[in-house]
Amino acid sequence: LIHFYKRICTNMLEKIEDLKENLEKNGHLVINNILNKDELKFYDKFCEDLLKNNIDARRHRHDLGNHEKLKDGLSENICQVMWPSIYMEGGRDNSLLHSRVVDIAKALLGEDMAFDFDMIISKEAGSMTETPWHQDESYWPDLPDKRALSFWFPMVDAGVHNGCMWFISGSHKTPLRVHRPVKAGKHVMMTDLEDGDQGKPHPVNAGGCTVHTGRTLHYTGGNSSSMPRRVYIINCRPADMVKEERRQNFDHGLAGLESIELKAKNAEEN
């Protein structure tokens, strides 16, 4: 496994067995140096082109923070673009980031791990809209195999000042909590913290990522910096579970975000 891990990316310092142990214990990781500065430039430019509308991704773009009043000077409070890889030159099959992520997912949780979906989330400079505490599993179908990993890659160094990830260690070992829309008719889900929950920030440098399971409680704050905080996110789960999602017509918005927004509105009415 150590040889396999070094083959994934020779710049990584951590050993795979240590990462597997920490993931099992805490439900989250910080992994450094997955991409070097030159490799990161492609994804940074790609994010810029999507968010500046140089690439037309309107069918997959919306404001994840539309439950709050839009701040002056911003197009969205939290811009989300689902399935950015379908707009990427060469697609994900030719993406270094995607191939490395899938290899790491396989090393961490098993050889049957596969790509499920991806997204870009941006909190532009001055966007103080928080992403509330939640578990990703609350958005997904109830699958028999719960293994899932989300890889969170910031295009700039991410810290508390610009909205890095916060996690509650060990929360992945507890049952899925009750979630509710952050506001009636909106897509974003949230849950309440309980006595004893202790969230901590986990800064990560550009080129590295955080990793968390589908049941790990997490949160991000606003961006008080003068620079955008843009993140490329890739999710992996067992290939059979990806097939099961699609069998249930659950595609994480691939067909367009109208269905997701309609589902939230219908839930409000019912």
Side-chain angles (χ1 to χ4, degrees):
L1 283 173
I2 300 301
H3 173 73
F4 171 72
Y5 191 58
K6 288 180 178 178
R7 179 170 58 82
I8 293 172
C9 183
T10 56
N11 290 330
M12 290 181 182
L13 302 178
E14 298 89 349
K15 295 179 180 180
I16 188 64
E17 291 300 330
D18 291 340
L19 289 176
K20 290 172 68 174
E21 181 179 342
N22 287 332
L23 181 64
E24 170 62 25
K25 177 182 178 181
N26 298 315
H28 58 83
L29 300 168
V30 173
I31 306 179
N32 297 308
N33 303 317
I34 293 176
L35 296 178
N36 62 38
K37 290 182 179 180
D38 289 335
E39 292 166 339
L40 187 65
K41 287 178 181 178
F42 171 83
Y43 299 95
D44 189 23
K45 175 65 162 53
F46 178 59
C47 289
E48 176 79 5
D49 285 342
L50 276 174
L51 296 170
K52 295 298 184 183
N53 293 313
N54 296 328
I55 300 173
D56 185 2
R58 284 174 291 180
R59 188 162 62 97
H60 293 97
R61 177 175 180 160
H62 75 138
D63 185 358
L64 202 60
N66 63 7
H67 54 279
E68 291 188 1
K69 181 180 178 181
L70 184 62
K71 181 179 173 63
D72 290 344
L74 296 178
S75 299
E76 300 103 344
N77 287 320
I78 307 175
C79 179
Q80 181 185 45
V81 179
M82 295 300 298
W83 291 92
S85 54
I86 68 175
Y87 300 99
M88 184 182 295
E89 183 177 356
R92 71 173 185 270
D93 289 342
N94 292 298
S95 167
L96 181 63
L97 181 61
H98 288 74
S99 64
R100 284 186 179 165
V101 162
V102 171
D103 280 347
I104 296 170
K106 288 180 176 181
L108 290 172
L109 290 186
E111 282 293 323
D112 59 341
M113 294 295 284
F115 171 86
D116 187 7
F117 67 96
D118 56 1
M119 72 177 85
I120 289 170
I121 293 180
S122 178
K123 292 187 180 180
E124 298 294 300
S127 174
M128 297 307 295
T129 302
E130 299 176 348
T131 303
W133 285 102
H134 68 282
Q135 295 159 300
D136 290 342
E137 202 175 303
S138 66
Y139 289 96
W140 302 335
D142 185 12
L143 300 172
D145 189 334
K146 308 296 186 189
R147 286 178 295 156
L149 292 175
S150 293
F151 294 78
W152 194 90
F153 287 87
M155 298 296 106
V156 296
D157 295 351
V160 174
H161 67 293
N162 64 351
C164 71
M165 275 287 201
W166 292 60
F167 297 111
I168 296 179
S169 296
S171 56
H172 65 304
K173 297 182 178 181
T174 62
L176 180 65
R177 298 193 182 183
V178 175
H179 285 69
R180 64 184 184 276
V182 68
K183 188 176 181 179
K186 301 300 182 181
H187 171 63
V188 173
M189 303 297 287
M190 65 172 292
T191 192
D192 297 315
L193 297 188
E194 300 174 354
D195 292 342
D197 286 337
Q198 294 185 349
K200 295 182 179 180
H202 291 268
V204 59
N205 291 336
C209 72
T210 63
V211 185
H212 64 273
T213 77
R215 198 167 286 191
T216 306
L217 280 162
H218 58 286
Y219 153 96
T220 61
N223 178 9
S224 62
S225 78
S226 60
M227 297 289 292
R229 190 233 62 190
R230 296 168 179 166
V231 181
Y232 203 115
I233 300 167
I234 300 174
N235 179 275
C236 297
R237 71 177 72 244
D240 284 348
M241 294 301 99
V242 176
K243 293 178 182 177
E244 176 60 20
E245 284 181 318
R246 305 303 184 264
R247 188 189 69 79
Q248 297 183 28
N249 295 318
F250 190 86
D251 64 2
H252 300 279
L254 178 59
L257 298 184
E258 296 85 357
S259 60
I260 293 177
E261 294 170 352
L262 180 61
K263 181 180 178 180
K265 291 180 180 178
N266 289 340
E268 177 190 10
E269 294 172 359
N270 295 330

